[in-house]
Amino acid sequence: EVDVLHRHDLRIAGALLLFGLFDMPMSVLEPGSNQGSIEVWLHQAYLGPHWLRHHRSPLVSPLRAPNLSQFPPCYLTVGCEDSLASQTLEMARRLCAADVPTTVSVVAGLDHAFHYVEHKLPTRVTPEMERMIQWLRWIAAPVQVTAALTNVR
């Protein structure tokens, strides 16, 4: 088994962060958030029966990470109707404050997990999907060039 968390030769070119839950405690405390028993069930399903013990861990709530400056370039996207939009904007703010190259896209008129309804709302969803793909191609290009040069030698 390979321990990818401690490999020093692994380079992550970028992170595509879709309508994220970046701070678990904020997800139930923030006005307009998804409060209620369904949110508790979600947290238990994700983190186990002792979920409150893990809530503030940077591995669960990356907004609480002390090392955001080590993040790769990030593309964050969220629908403006998503109850997690404020978390996406706060994550983007903190990444920028940590000097991480950050792109943010807030898509008008869409809610959480909007990419699942591309077939129903193609004029709204498809352009954002294309922007994400274009960003991924752009951010991965230097890695591909480096890999090609390494293989030539």
Side-chain angles (χ1 to χ4, degrees):
E1 185 173 310
V2 177
D3 181 8
V4 295
L5 291 178
H6 296 97
R7 283 185 53 184
H8 298 288
D9 63 332
L10 183 65
R11 180 181 174 276
I12 298 173
L16 181 61
L17 306 175
L18 308 174
F19 27 82
L21 179 55
F22 300 112
D23 189 338
M24 289 291 264
M26 189 189 319
S27 71
V28 293
L29 299 175
E30 186 176 44
S33 68
N34 301 316
Q35 299 173 359
S37 59
I38 192 143
E39 200 63 21
V40 172
W41 294 334
L42 169 86
H43 291 208
Q44 285 179 328
Y46 182 60
L47 299 172
H50 306 290
W51 55 276
L52 280 174
R53 191 178 322 160
H54 307 291
H55 238 203
R56 288 176 168 72
S57 165
L59 296 174
V60 174
S61 297
L63 271 174
R64 298 168 181 270
N67 58 347
L68 285 178
S69 63
Q70 295 177 13
F71 269 55
C74 293
Y75 185 106
L76 295 91
T77 185
V78 67
C80 72
E81 304 296 326
D82 192 334
S83 64
L84 297 174
S86 63
Q87 288 204 28
T88 297
L89 296 175
E90 181 61 18
M91 185 69 174
R93 186 187 71 73
R94 292 201 192 168
L95 288 167
C96 288
D99 292 325
V100 175
T102 303
T103 302
V104 181
S105 180
V106 179
V107 186
L110 294 178
D111 206 333
H112 189 72
F114 59 78
H115 69 289
Y116 286 124
V117 295
E118 183 174 15
H119 63 287
K120 293 183 179 181
L121 300 168
T123 59
R124 289 189 188 164
V125 178
T126 302
E128 179 59 13
M129 298 295 282
E130 290 171 353
R131 283 189 292 272
M132 289 188 288
I133 292 167
Q134 181 180 15
W135 184 85
L136 286 169
R137 286 183 177 138
W138 173 78
I139 204 70
V143 174
Q144 293 170 355
V145 169
T146 303
L149 291 175
T150 303
N151 291 333
V152 170
R153 295 180 186 161

